[in-house]
């Protein structure tokens, strides 16, 4: 007796869900602040140290702001295939009435309506 298996569409897994916008912004801000803190330390060390590697700290103080800004503006790309297309379906719910909606004319005249305001 053969058996058949029916595979339902895969459900969205929590581990494959995209990171929220707030979490992405928080991570980019943290990365920016760490990079700029390292840049500040490089700037201070370039002033204080009087050896040849002063120029390494000076180069770090010059280059790190560019790296920090580019990294902070790098938004995580959307991964294709995670979002599924929603196809509209018909609503088979029985209606209370088969007649279409009919608008009932107002019994209040315009002059009475203006006096109420």
């Amino acid at each position: 007796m053969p058996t058949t298996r029916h595979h339902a569409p895969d459900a969205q897994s929590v581990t494959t869900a995209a990171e929220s916008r707030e979490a992405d912004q928080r991570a980019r801000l943290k990365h920016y602040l760490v990079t700029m803190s390292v840049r500040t330390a490089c700037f201070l060390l370039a002033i204080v140290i009087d050896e040849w590697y002063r120029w390494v700290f000076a180069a770090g103080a010059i280059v790190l702001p560019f790296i920090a800004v580019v990294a902070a503006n790098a938004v995580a790309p959307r991964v294709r295939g995670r979002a599924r297309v929603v196809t509209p379906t018909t609503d088979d719910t029985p209606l209370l009435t088969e007649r279409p909606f009919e608008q009932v004319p107002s019994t209040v005249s315009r002059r009475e309506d203006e006096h109420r305001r």
Side-chain angles (χ1 to χ4, degrees), residues 44-117:
L44 292 175
L45 288 171
I47 293 172
V48 174
I49 296 199
D50 197 22
E51 298 289 329
W52 64 268
Y53 45 90
R54 157 192 264 178
W55 301 110
V56 174
F57 293 127
I62 292 170
V63 174
L64 282 175
F66 175 75
I67 294 170
V69 169
V70 169
N73 289 328
V75 178
R78 294 192 81 184
V79 178
R80 295 189 79 136
R82 287 191 181 166
R84 294 197 177 108
V85 177
V86 177
T87 55
T89 59
T90 58
D91 186 12
D92 296 329
T93 307
L95 301 175
L96 293 175
T97 178
E98 293 297 323
R99 295 187 338 215
F101 174 74
E102 297 174 11
Q103 186 171 359
V104 178
S106 176
T107 58
V108 178
S109 68
R110 278 189 137 168
R111 288 184 183 165
E112 291 177 11
D113 192 33
E114 288 174 359
H115 289 290
R116 289 185 184 175
R117 291 183 190 181

Side-chain angles (χ1 to χ4, degrees), residues 19-38 67-76:
E19 188 177 31
S20 70
R21 182 183 305 174
E22 291 81 18
D24 181 43
Q25 287 176 345
R26 207 173 319 118
R28 288 187 290 130
L29 178 63
K30 182 179 177 181
H31 186 265
Y32 176 79
L33 292 175
V34 168
T35 306
M36 291 308 285
S37 297
V38 172
I67 294 170
V69 169
V70 169
N73 289 328
V75 178

